[in-house]
Amino acid sequence: MPTRSRAATYARRRKRRMAKVDHDLTDDQWTSLQLAWGGCAYCGADAVPLQKDCMLPISRGGRYTLTNVVPACGSCNASKCNIEVTTWMRRKKLDERGFLVRQAEIMATFG
């Protein structure tokens, strides 16, 4: 009998969602993104391990692509959960404009 815990249910749903879309972020692109941002894209933390965070969450149709992924510290990534990035930044009173300008500048360097 399958496990019915919330975590197990969520994990099964996430696995199905992930399998339905193409993710084209390469390891080299991820490394370049981390270097370009120089830390967490949201709070700037730089002495912590960074995680791939989808600005448009996978649960809302996003995927792991160069234009949708930013490096995030565990705290920001967990706090953001599956909320769209600008909504979450407004709620947390983070510099939404600064983030969007920086994201555009970084994407311009990738051509």
Side-chain angles (χ1 to χ4, degrees), residues 9 12 23 48 63 74 79 85 87 89 91-92 94 98 105:
T9 299
R12 283 192 300 276
H23 304 282
V48 297
R63 54 195 191 105
S79 171
V85 69
T87 302
M89 291 188 89
R91 189 175 297 161
K92 297 292 276 184
L94 294 170
E105 291 169 351

Side-chain angles (χ1 to χ4, degrees), residues 8-79:
T9 299
Y10 175 75
R12 283 192 300 276
R13 285 181 187 161
R14 179 174 170 77
K15 186 176 180 179
R16 282 193 302 267
R17 278 193 307 267
M18 295 286 283
K20 287 181 182 179
V21 295
D22 291 325
H23 304 282
D24 60 8
L25 182 71
T26 66
D27 290 339
D28 288 341
Q29 288 172 328
W30 171 237
T31 300
S32 296
L33 279 173
Q34 291 178 82
L35 292 171
W37 281 98
C40 177
Y42 304 125
C43 71
D46 61 358
V48 297
L50 297 172
Q51 303 171 355
K52 295 174 188 165
D53 182 58
C54 291
M55 293 183 293
L56 176 63
I58 291 169
S59 64
R60 296 176 185 254
R63 54 195 191 105
Y64 288 113
T65 64
L66 181 62
T67 57
N68 191 45
V69 171
V70 295
C73 67
S75 177
C76 286
N77 198 8
S79 171

